[in-house]
């Protein structure tokens, strides 16, 4: 009729066509999946039914269902239309009136004045309700189990958090898995944990199981502590359990500590510097036992440089040189090694705790020595928390970056607290304490509560020295951006939130690599530096610091006091003063004279005045002149009337390898008796006087014998070159 040329018939046939087309279009892709009711203690199972909408004008849907293989519908139920769903939209309905462990078949019709044709058939089997429970709980785990359901594609395990925080998913498991063990550090030991399981069907949650309330037996005290060797120590081991404590033991305890097994208190004084590893075990009446490895990391106290040995005084001849390694004289008590970290924002000095955390310090030094930290960015920043680096290196091009090639993970070394200014490791896993590799962070706040116990405790292996925290604070105060970065040859991007960036302009959509905070270099740094801060008589001796070594050079006879000051990386100082005595030897004196050729020996007398060269030197004479009044040796007597013979003579000051002797004899033959010698000093009983002058001491020595009894008496001076 649509092709007829009769106008009158055309209209009637058109109306007839409208009536035929009023029947709704049948839905397609009917699919049914059975699962248990979840969320408490359900009494019946459910089936999820989905189909594809093929029309936009339906007012309702009729779902016909069949039991088993029957071809006769058991019943049907009506649900309202979705009110305007588009063609090809998927409609979902959950039917909750079915019996458990039963096979049902479904097909769907749409309705708009009349019912459409049927969709395809789909069948599903219902199961028993999902019920979560716990099975025998060992000491440090919570074992969850549940009844398996049908058609699920995965399970998710949750721990319920206190509102408004979202619940924490702690595991995603495959289909048909019916148990899971919760262990530390997934959750901390607590008496009020609640768990539930959520089955998932094709990425869609089907609901929640019932809640299980239980707690985890475990240690709640820190895995380690740190303090200054010799300072007071106190620590209480704590734990939670469903039964009473029956006994406590502690193995490896240093002698400076005492353990009270009744209450788990360890007290006394911090042991010597180093890492002390203890093993604590607590047993419960239930038969359960828990063991914790506990570290005491004793460190030297902070403060000014300490003096290890006294700088020795020095007596040297003119022209002599003495060198002393100052690192053997001074030490920094709280810094065993140090590195200077040069960044694009400023310089920080890191002091490392080599003895307390040896593995972590070695790990850090390996990255430094292989150059892996050069050009590395600070990729994460939390104001008032920490700044983090050690993961990525910029390429300078767009969002392209390189990973820092990680070495083998380092063992966790907890114990030192994450206080402001400390340097700590970033772990690669929230559940593996021994997962730190290249990433580290600087605590810009006291994070001890958050980090000292989490995941086995966070390893602190150094601190920022001096005013370096002004640089760390400046980085922490920068604006931050979130960017997707392409690492090496990855085909997808990795999201990096909280990247600190310099400058004050707005952040572009692509990361501006020129505004990154980068580490330009990390170089070894002496923990102490030295300077000369005093020299009382610089003409006598010079002092210089060369490669941490004190070099003294004797310039002229005399004495001087040299002051050496050591400064640590915190700017604290300590000083020592040493005395330097510079003297002449005969050889250096002879070399400075204008002797005739071959006349410079100690026993020669080039001016023929009866004084050989050695005596000219000892008594400050002039070997080129026979008229040297300065060297006269004067005989004399003491007392009134005269009672004792004396000798008065000059003793050269600042001499080396030379000694004076005053001797007596009655007949100028045989042996001479020593009355005084240089080693006796000027306080000897035979010393009448010692008059100090610039270059000499005028000394008067008295004969102990009185004048008179002896028929004759002779005194002499003798000079010995040692």
């Amino acid at each position: 009729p649509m092709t007829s040329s009769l106008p009158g018939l055309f209209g009637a046939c058109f109306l007839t066509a409208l009536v035929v087309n009023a029947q709704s279009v049948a839905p397609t892709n009917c699919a049914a999946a059975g699962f248990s009711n979840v969320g408490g203690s359900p009494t019946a199972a459910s089936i999820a039914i989905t189909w594809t909408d093929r029309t936009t004008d339906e007012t309702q849907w009729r779902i016909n269902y069949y039991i088993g293989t029957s071809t006769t519908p058991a019943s049907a139920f009506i649900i309202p239309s979705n009110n305007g769903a588009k063609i090809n939209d998927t409609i979902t309905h959950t039917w909750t009136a079915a019996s458990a462990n039963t096979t049902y078949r479904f097909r769907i019709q749409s309705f708009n004045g009349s019912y459409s044709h049927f969709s395809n058939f789909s069948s599903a089997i219902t199961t028993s309700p999902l019920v979560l429970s716990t099975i025998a709980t060992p000491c440090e785990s919570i074992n969850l189990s549940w009844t398996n359901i049908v058609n699920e594609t995965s399970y998710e395990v949750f721990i319920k958090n206190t509102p408004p925080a979202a619940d924490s998913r702690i595991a995603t498991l495959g289909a048909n898995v019916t148990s899971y063990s919760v262990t530390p550090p997934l959750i901390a030991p607590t008496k009020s944990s609640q768990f539930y399981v959520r089955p998932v069907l094709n990425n869609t949650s089907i609901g929640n199981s019932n809640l299980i309330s239980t707690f985890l037996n475990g240690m709640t005290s820190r895995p380690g502590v740190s303090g200054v060797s010799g300072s007071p120590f106190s620590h209480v081991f704590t734990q939670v359990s469903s039964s009473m404590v029956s006994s406590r033991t502690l193995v490896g305890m240093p002698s400076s500590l005492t353990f009270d097994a009744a209450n788990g208190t360890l007290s006394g004084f911090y042991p010597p510097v180093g890492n002390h590893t203890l093993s604590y075990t607590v047993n419960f009446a239930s038969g359960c036992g828990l063991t914790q490895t506990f570290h005491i990391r004793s460190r030297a106290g902070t403060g000014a440089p300490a003096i290890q040995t006294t700088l020795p005084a020095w007596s040297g001849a003119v022209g002599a040189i003495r060198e002393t390694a100052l690192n053997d004289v001074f030490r920094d008590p709280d810094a065993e090694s140090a590195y200077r970290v040069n960044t694009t924002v400023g310089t920080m000095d890191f002091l490392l705790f080599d003895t307390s955390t040896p593995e972590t310090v070695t790990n850090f030094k390996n990255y430094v020595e292989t150059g892996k930290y050069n050009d590395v960015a600070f990729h994460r920043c939390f104001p008032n928390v920490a700044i983090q680096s050690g993961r990525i290196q910029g390429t300078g091009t767009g969002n392209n970056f390189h990973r820092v090639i990680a070495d083998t993970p380092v063992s966790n070394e907890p114990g030192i607290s994450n206080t402001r200014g400390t340097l700590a490791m970033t772990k690669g896993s929230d559940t593996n304490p021994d997962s730190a590799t290249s990433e580290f962070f600087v605590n810009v706040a006291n994070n001890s509560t958050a980090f000292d116990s989490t995941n086995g405790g966070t390893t602190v292996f150094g601190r920022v020295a001096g005013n370096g925290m002004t640089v760390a604070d400046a980085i922490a105060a920068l604006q931050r951006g979130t960017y997707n970065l392409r690492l090496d040859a990855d085909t997808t991007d990795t999201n990096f939130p909280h990247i600190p960036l310099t400058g004050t302009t707005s952040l572009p959509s692509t990361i501006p690599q020129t505004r990154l905070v980068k580490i330009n270099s990390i170089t070894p740094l002496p923990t102490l530096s030295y300077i000369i801060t005093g020299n009382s008589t610089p003409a006598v001796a010079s002092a210089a610091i060369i490669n941490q070594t004190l070099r003294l050079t004797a310039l002229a006879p005399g004495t001087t006091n040299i002051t050496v000051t050591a400064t640590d990386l915190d700017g604290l100082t300590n000083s020592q003063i040493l005395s330097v005595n510079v003297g002449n030897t005969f050889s250096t004196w002879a070399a400075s004279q204008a002797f005739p050729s071959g006349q410079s020996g100690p026993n020669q007398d080039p001016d023929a005045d009866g004084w050989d060269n050695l005596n000219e030197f000892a008594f400050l004479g002039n070997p080129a002149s026979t008229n040297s009044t300065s060297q006269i040796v004067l005989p004399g007597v003491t007392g009134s009337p005269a009672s004792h013979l004396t000798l008065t003579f000059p003793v050269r000051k600042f001499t080396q390898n030379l000694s004076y002797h005053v001797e007596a004899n009655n007949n100028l033959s045989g042996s001479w008796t020593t009355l005084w010698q240089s080693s006796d000093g000027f306080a000897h009983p035979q010393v009448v006087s010692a008059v100090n002058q610039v270059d000499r001491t005028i000394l008067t020595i008295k004969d102990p014998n009185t004048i008179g009894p002896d028929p004759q008496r002779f005194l002499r001076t003798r000079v010995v070159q040692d």
Side-chain angles (χ1 to χ4, degrees):
M2 294 292 291
T3 60
S4 171
S5 61
L6 299 176
L9 293 175
F10 178 81
C13 291
F14 180 74
L15 291 175
T16 302
L18 285 177
V19 172
V20 172
N21 289 339
Q23 186 179 38
S24 296
V25 178
T28 59
N29 299 325
C30 176
F35 59 92
S36 68
N37 277 346
V38 290
S41 300
T43 58
S46 300
I47 292 178
I49 309 165
T50 62
W51 62 90
T52 302
D53 186 1
R54 298 295 299 158
T55 183
T56 60
D57 57 359
E58 78 283 347
T59 60
Q60 62 185 26
W61 307 96
R62 182 166 68 182
I63 301 175
N64 302 270
Y65 69 89
Y66 306 74
I67 298 176
T69 59
S70 173
T71 57
T72 302
S75 185
F77 52 91
I78 305 297
I79 64 171
S81 167
N82 59 345
N83 294 324
K86 297 178 181 179
I87 293 178
N88 294 328
D89 277 2
T90 299
I91 311 300
T92 301
H93 177 72
T94 301
W95 184 47
T96 58
S99 300
N101 302 313
T102 303
T103 300
Y104 293 88
R105 292 194 304 155
F106 301 87
R107 56 181 182 171
I108 319 300
Q109 293 174 289
S110 64
F111 179 82
N112 184 5
S114 64
Y115 285 105
S116 71
H117 295 296
F118 290 103
S119 71
N120 59 295
F121 272 107
S122 181
S123 62
I125 302 174
T126 59
T127 66
S128 301
L130 187 153
V131 178
L132 179 64
S133 61
T134 60
I135 56 178
T137 304
C139 287
E140 290 189 281
S141 65
I142 296 174
N143 293 336
L144 304 176
S145 65
W146 55 89
T147 55
N148 193 26
I149 67 172
V150 176
N151 295 321
E152 88 291 345
T153 54
S154 64
Y155 289 101
E156 297 174 326
V157 182
F158 284 82
I159 183 171
K160 190 169 185 60
N161 293 327
T162 302
D167 296 346
S168 299
R169 181 175 59 190
I170 57 176
T172 299
L173 310 171
N176 301 319
V177 177
T178 59
S179 64
Y180 182 71
S181 182
V182 184
T183 60
L186 283 177
I187 60 170
T190 176
K191 292 185 178 179
S192 58
S193 296
Q194 289 185 306
F195 302 91
Y196 62 89
V197 174
R198 174 182 295 172
V200 176
L201 174 63
N202 296 325
N203 299 319
T204 300
S205 172
I206 304 174
N208 300 336
S209 74
N210 55 300
L211 285 170
I212 287 291
S213 295
T214 185
F215 72 92
L216 178 69
N217 294 322
M219 299 293 185
T220 55
S221 53
R222 290 177 55 187
V225 294
S226 177
V228 176
S229 176
S231 64
F233 176 98
S234 181
H235 175 78
V236 179
F237 292 96
T238 59
Q239 58 282 315
V240 294
S241 175
S242 57
S243 62
M244 299 295 292
V245 172
S246 60
S247 66
R248 297 180 177 92
T249 58
L250 188 64
V251 177
M253 182 176 61
S255 59
S256 62
L257 298 173
T258 301
F259 180 60
D260 187 341
N263 55 26
T265 299
L266 182 63
S267 60
F269 297 92
Y270 273 93
V273 172
N275 175 34
H276 305 267
T277 302
L278 292 69
S279 180
Y280 169 71
T281 299
V282 56
N283 296 303
F284 301 101
S286 63
C288 169
L290 301 174
T291 297
Q292 180 186 41
T293 299
F294 184 73
H295 299 275
I296 301 176
R297 302 189 187 276
S298 295
R299 295 181 290 121
T302 58
I307 294 175
Q308 295 191 101
T309 60
T310 301
L311 271 171
W314 181 48
S315 295
V318 173
I321 295 175
R322 189 188 78 173
E323 293 186 341
T324 303
L326 293 176
N327 287 338
D328 296 333
V329 175
F330 296 91
R331 68 180 180 87
D332 188 348
D334 64 330
E336 298 167 88
S337 63
Y339 284 82
R340 176 151 290 170
V341 182
N342 181 275
T343 78
T344 53
V345 171
T347 297
M348 293 181 284
D349 292 338
F350 288 172
L351 303 184
L352 306 184
F353 304 146
D354 299 62
T355 299
S356 296
T357 54
E359 292 188 44
T360 305
V361 169
T362 299
N363 177 74
F364 180 84
K365 290 181 178 180
N366 287 340
Y367 282 97
V368 172
E369 292 166 2
T370 55
K372 291 183 177 181
Y373 283 149
N374 295 340
D375 199 38
V376 167
F378 282 88
H379 65 275
R380 202 175 188 195
C381 168
F382 294 101
N384 301 317
V385 180
I387 58 173
Q388 186 172 328
S389 185
R391 183 178 179 185
I392 56 173
Q393 295 172 314
T395 64
T397 304
N399 70 335
N400 296 298
F401 284 77
H402 295 306
R403 289 183 177 89
V404 172
I405 304 302
D407 296 336
T408 302
V410 63
S411 298
N412 197 34
E413 296 179 298
I416 303 175
S417 187
N418 284 261
T419 54
R420 171 175 162 81
T422 53
L423 184 65
M425 294 302 294
T426 303
K427 297 178 182 179
S429 167
D430 292 335
T431 59
N432 181 4
D434 303 321
S435 59
T437 54
S438 64
E439 294 186 57
F440 62 90
F441 62 91
V442 176
N443 286 295
V444 297
N446 185 347
N447 296 314
S448 56
T449 300
F451 298 155
D452 286 0
S453 299
T454 303
N455 194 8
T458 299
T459 298
V460 168
F461 65 99
R463 68 176 178 87
V464 178
N467 62 357
M469 283 305 294
T470 60
V471 176
D473 290 336
I475 297 172
L478 293 173
Q479 59 179 328
R480 297 169 295 145
T482 297
Y483 293 96
N484 292 321
L485 307 183
R486 185 63 58 89
L487 305 180
D488 298 316
D490 289 357
T491 57
T492 58
D493 292 342
T494 300
N495 183 260
F496 282 79
H498 313 295
I499 300 177
L501 297 168
T502 60
T504 58
T505 58
S506 59
L507 301 178
S509 57
T510 300
I511 187 168
Q513 292 205 24
T514 56
R515 294 171 60 180
L516 287 170
V517 180
K518 288 187 177 181
I519 295 174
N520 296 322
S521 63
I522 303 181
T523 53
L525 186 68
T527 59
L528 295 174
S529 60
Y530 306 97
I531 57 173
I532 304 299
T533 52
N535 187 347
S536 61
T537 312
V540 171
S542 66
I545 306 296
I546 302 173
N547 296 327
Q548 310 290 98
T549 298
L550 170 64
R551 174 176 288 182
L552 299 174
T553 303
L555 302 177
T559 60
T560 186
N561 292 321
I562 307 292
T563 303
V564 180
T565 298
T567 304
D568 66 17
L569 294 174
D570 293 315
L572 302 176
T573 63
N574 200 355
S575 300
Q576 285 200 65
I577 300 175
L578 74 150
S579 176
V580 176
N581 181 17
V582 178
N584 257 341
T585 63
F586 172 80
S587 297
T588 57
W589 173 83
S592 67
Q593 306 299 313
F595 285 116
S597 176
Q599 294 295 305
S600 61
N603 299 320
Q604 293 172 311
D605 183 10
D607 58 359
D609 63 356
W611 293 75
D612 62 29
N613 288 334
L614 180 61
N615 281 285
E616 296 271 19
F617 167 68
F619 297 109
L620 291 92
N622 183 351
S625 171
T626 60
N627 185 24
S628 179
T629 59
S630 63
Q631 71 183 91
I632 294 176
V633 178
L634 300 173
V637 293
T638 64
S640 181
S643 59
H644 294 269
L645 295 176
T646 64
L647 276 181
T648 300
F649 54 93
V651 173
R652 178 184 285 273
K653 296 172 73 172
F654 317 120
T655 58
Q656 300 286 323
N657 305 324
L658 191 70
S659 62
Y660 295 80
H661 300 255
V662 175
E663 300 169 336
N665 187 287
N666 288 341
N667 51 24
L668 296 179
S669 64
S671 61
W672 289 72
T673 301
T674 299
L675 305 181
W676 174 90
Q677 57 188 347
S678 298
S679 60
D680 292 333
F682 295 163
H684 192 270
Q686 304 315 122
V687 176
V688 174
S689 66
V691 180
N692 184 40
Q693 296 183 0
V694 174
D695 60 349
R696 69 198 72 191
T697 300
I698 304 300
L699 195 64
T700 298
I701 304 297
K702 178 180 71 173
D703 182 10
N705 291 355
T706 58
I707 296 174
D710 298 322
Q712 55 186 5
R713 186 73 167 168
F714 303 93
L715 301 182
R716 75 176 183 186
T717 60
R718 184 168 59 91
V719 176
V720 178
Q721 185 178 15
D722 297 332

